[in-house]
Every structure is written in structure tokens, then in C-alpha cells.
Amino acid sequence: MGESEKNIEQAERTELMESIIVRYLQGDCSEDELVMLLGWIRETAANRDMFVKIKQLYDLRPKGGLYPSEEEVESCWQRLLAKQGKFSLNESLSTPQNAKPQGKLRRIVTSTLRYAAVGLTFAVMAVAAQYLFFNKEPDPVFNTIEVSPNSSLDRITLPDGSTVLLNSSTTFRFPDRFSSKVREVYIDGEGYFDIVRDEKKPFIIHANQQTINVLGTKFNVMDYSTDDYAITTLYSGRVKVLSSDIDGQAAKEETLKPNQQVYLDKATARLTVSNIKPEMDRMWLNKTYHFHGEPLQRIVKRLEKLYHVNFTITDEKLQNEPFTGTFRLTMTIGQVLDIMNSGKHFSYKMNGDSITLSPRKRK
């Protein structure tokens, strides 16, 4: 191919890219054209610079009017040069600081600003420029793990080597890779976390009405969306718990020390910190549950998730009565209720997966 044919081919390709750029900024670029545009941008620094300058000129565009004049285009250019100095049109030729945009750049700039004046969406271009030119990482792909009731514990190894053990009726979402700045996961249920320390990339757990910030530590989170409370327990390291109200607004904040837990009342977003015995609180990891002085209503909420049953407590006083006990998850729900009812405080009736608790009638 001769030199003249190469020049003609290059000119035709340039014109094609000009039209693709305009369509892209309009949000009307096909998938094939987008692939072509990406390839062209990555070919040379000059191509990348040209696209970035078009974006910057667009930032400075006149906001009124239907069709920018040559003077308005020139004004945009001069304001850009005043802010940033010289712009290299190609790798061997620089535009003087007082020069007008010429040739292909002027045509693209003028076309772009014209389209912008009749509704070109800046949001599309800004997001694209951030992704293409400022090394913005693509969105990760999220994995969702759902642990069914009565199932065995699920151990998940996260991309950074951290691990989490998931309890029954838990939904857990985590990315296939963490970003360069933060590690974020989502939980609805209960999980025991062992987090690899990385001071440059804090670990953040998003639950229903709380966010837990971690560097490197071992802790337990119990936060089911169906419960009106949540409990976070720290065994080593340090975590910061931030609660939010039902509207999602930040409310309270507490930093936990080892062997402390925080109770979140979701109705008020209040956080209450207390000391715990870790060997008792972690018993569920060995498929054993222990409750100490907890109201019956809260205990049966947990049993519903473990045994996939539904409880009804017919008396309000009985709902708030405290109970203490320990049971193995290998036991049947009937055996668990018998342990809880060793003091004969209530009677129960089972109808399939529905269980009704009533105060025991005194003789």
C-alpha cells in the first residue's frame, strides 16, 4: 500500500471515529462501535488526549442557546488553555497556547458542543471518561450464598484470604475480587468472621441497619432482616459499629474491644455495649446454642431460623419472660422446647411447622 493510500485510509478512519465519538457522547453508540472506540483510544496517547480534551471542553460549554457559535466554541477552548496550558494534538505537534483548535479536533469539538446543546447527557460521558481514562476499576461480580434452615455451616473463603462461617437461614454476598481501596461484603443472617489484616484496605460489612468497619479481627455478626434487633460480638482486634435508622440515616457509633458485644435496637437505632464470655457466645460454631436470660420472644425468633418453623406466643407476659438454657442443633425442636420448659412455664402445641406457646394454667 502506497503512502497516499495509507493517508486516505487514515483519514477515513479518523472521520469514522469522529462520528462514533459523537454518537457515544449522545449515548447512542452500539456495542461494536464501543469496542472500536476503546481500541482506538488505547492505540496512542494522542487519541486518549483528544477524547479527554473533548470532555473538558464539554465541561466548559455554554449552558444556554440551541446551537453554539464559533465564538462560543473558541471561548471554551481559550478557557481550557488558560486552565491547563498546551494540548498535544499528536505525539510530535503541540498547539500553541494562544492557538485555535484546528482540523479534526475543531470539527469534533464543534459537533460535540452542538449535540450537547440539544440534550447530550453529560452523565454518560463523565462516567465513561472516568472508566476509560482515569483507571476506574470495573464493577466486580458478586456471588450470593444462601444457607437454608437446618443446613450445615457454610465456610466461605474471601478473595483476600479472610474466612466467614455462615449460620442457617443466612444470605451472604461478596465480590469475586475486592477493589484497591476497600473490601465490602453484605450479610443478612449470622456469620463468624476471621478477617486478614490490611491497613490500606479496611473491611466493611453491610447489614440491615448497621455497618461494621474492620481492619483485622475475629468477630460474630447476627443481623437478620426479620428481627428487630442485631448483635455484633468481638473476640479479637477492633471493630467500629455504625447504626442507621429505618430511613438509612447514620445514627449511633460504637467501637468494640475484645470480649464485648453491641446490641442494636432497630426501632430506635440505639447501640448498647456489654461484656461477654466468648466461649459461651461462640457455641453455635460447634452446633450448640446457649441463651442466658433472654426473653422468650427473642429465643423463638432464632429457633424459627434454625428449624424452619413458625411460633405464636399467645401471652405478652410470656413473650418477655427470660429463659436460660443450652441445646445441641442435632436435637429436634420438641426436645429443645422440653429443655426450655423444664420449669413448666408454658405449654406448646405443634401442628406441622406451626407451634403455639401458651402460659401454663396454674392449678
Side-chain angles (χ1 to χ4, degrees):
M1 182 184 293
E3 189 66 30
S4 60
E5 292 176 328
K6 288 183 180 180
N7 292 337
I8 292 173
E9 183 178 322
Q10 181 62 35
E12 290 176 347
R13 185 165 185 257
T14 299
E15 289 182 6
L16 174 62
M17 295 314 304
E18 290 173 8
S19 63
I20 291 177
I21 288 173
V22 172
R23 286 198 296 277
Y24 175 73
L25 297 178
Q26 286 181 284
D28 193 31
C29 186
S30 71
E31 194 170 317
D32 290 340
E33 288 175 333
L34 179 59
V35 171
M36 189 181 302
L37 177 60
L38 289 173
W40 177 81
I41 287 167
R42 290 166 178 159
E43 280 181 4
T44 66
N47 292 350
R48 166 178 163 162
D49 287 345
M50 179 179 291
F51 197 105
V52 171
K53 293 307 174 186
I54 292 172
K55 173 195 177 303
Q56 293 171 326
L57 285 168
Y58 179 77
D59 292 345
L60 299 170
R61 76 196 189 284
K63 301 300 188 291
L66 192 61
Y67 194 92
S69 65
E70 292 293 317
E71 290 75 16
E72 287 172 325
V73 174
E74 173 64 16
S75 175
C76 290
W77 180 257
Q78 291 300 336
R79 277 183 286 161
L80 175 63
L81 292 178
K83 290 175 68 175
Q84 295 195 350
K86 296 181 180 180
F87 164 47
S88 176
L89 255 184
N90 55 51
E91 294 173 346
S92 62
L93 177 63
S94 294
T95 303
Q97 187 156 343
N98 61 352
K100 298 180 180 181
Q102 299 294 334
K104 61 182 178 180
L105 182 58
R106 171 174 286 278
R107 290 196 304 273
I108 299 174
V109 168
T110 304
S111 298
T112 301
L113 291 177
R114 287 177 180 176
Y115 280 113
V118 293
L120 202 164
T121 56
F122 172 63
V124 172
M125 184 168 63
V127 171
Q130 185 180 23
Y131 172 76
L132 294 172
F133 309 121
F134 300 105
N135 298 318
K136 182 181 183 299
E137 297 171 298
D139 292 335
V141 176
F142 272 84
N143 306 287
T144 300
I145 305 296
E146 295 183 353
V147 186
S148 62
N150 284 323
S151 69
S152 58
L153 301 175
D154 275 31
R155 178 185 293 273
I156 308 299
T157 301
L158 302 177
D160 64 340
S162 299
T163 59
V164 55
L165 278 167
L166 302 177
N167 204 353
S168 301
S169 303
T170 295
T171 299
F172 184 67
R173 294 180 64 238
F174 66 98
D176 59 345
R177 56 179 175 73
F178 289 124
S179 76
S180 59
K181 296 181 179 179
V182 69
R183 298 171 286 171
E184 293 182 283
V185 298
Y186 300 79
I187 191 169
D188 183 341
E190 184 168 23
Y192 174 79
F193 292 83
D194 187 349
I195 302 303
V196 174
R197 185 176 182 85
D198 187 343
E199 294 184 1
K200 295 181 179 179
K201 291 178 21 176
F203 195 97
I204 299 177
I205 299 173
H206 299 280
N208 294 290
Q209 275 183 233
Q210 63 175 338
T211 301
I212 303 166
N213 294 342
V214 185
L215 283 179
T217 184
K218 297 179 181 180
F219 59 99
N220 191 83
V221 177
M222 186 177 69
D223 190 345
Y224 290 91
S225 57
T226 53
D227 289 347
D228 55 10
Y229 70 97
I231 297 175
T232 299
T233 307
L234 178 65
Y235 305 113
S236 66
R238 187 180 67 170
V239 300
K240 181 165 64 176
V241 180
L242 300 93
S243 69
S244 58
D245 59 26
I246 56 176
D247 296 322
Q249 300 299 313
K252 304 294 183 181
E253 176 182 315
E254 290 286 353
T255 298
L256 297 184
K257 298 177 182 179
N259 301 332
Q260 284 188 331
Q261 72 177 195
V262 60
Y263 176 92
L264 166 64
D265 183 333
K266 294 182 181 178
T268 62
R270 180 181 178 184
L271 296 172
T272 303
V273 178
S274 60
N275 296 321
I276 54 98
K277 294 181 179 180
E279 66 277 4
M280 300 300 291
D281 196 75
R282 277 189 288 192
M283 291 179 71
W284 76 266
L285 299 174
N286 298 317
K287 297 187 178 182
T288 302
Y289 254 113
H290 173 78
F291 43 91
H292 180 77
E294 291 189 44
L296 182 60
Q297 180 68 25
R298 189 186 303 171
I299 295 171
V300 300
K301 284 289 187 183
R302 190 175 302 189
L303 294 177
E304 286 180 338
K305 298 174 180 64
L306 294 172
Y307 288 93
H308 202 43
V309 295
N310 296 301
F311 279 94
T312 299
I313 304 177
T314 61
D315 182 77
E316 185 176 350
K317 184 178 180 181
L318 181 60
Q319 290 179 359
N320 297 314
E321 190 166 341
F323 285 81
T324 297
T326 301
F327 65 90
R328 297 280 301 175
L329 294 181
T330 53
M331 294 179 176
T332 66
I333 186 62
Q335 291 173 320
V336 173
L337 290 173
D338 289 338
I339 290 174
M340 291 175 57
N341 198 30
S342 58
K344 307 299 181 183
H345 292 278
F346 60 83
S347 61
Y348 65 88
K349 293 182 179 180
M350 301 181 64
N351 183 14
D353 60 0
S354 296
I355 304 173
T356 301
L357 304 183
S358 303
R360 181 176 290 275
K361 294 179 179 180
R362 303 295 181 183
K363 295 182 179 180

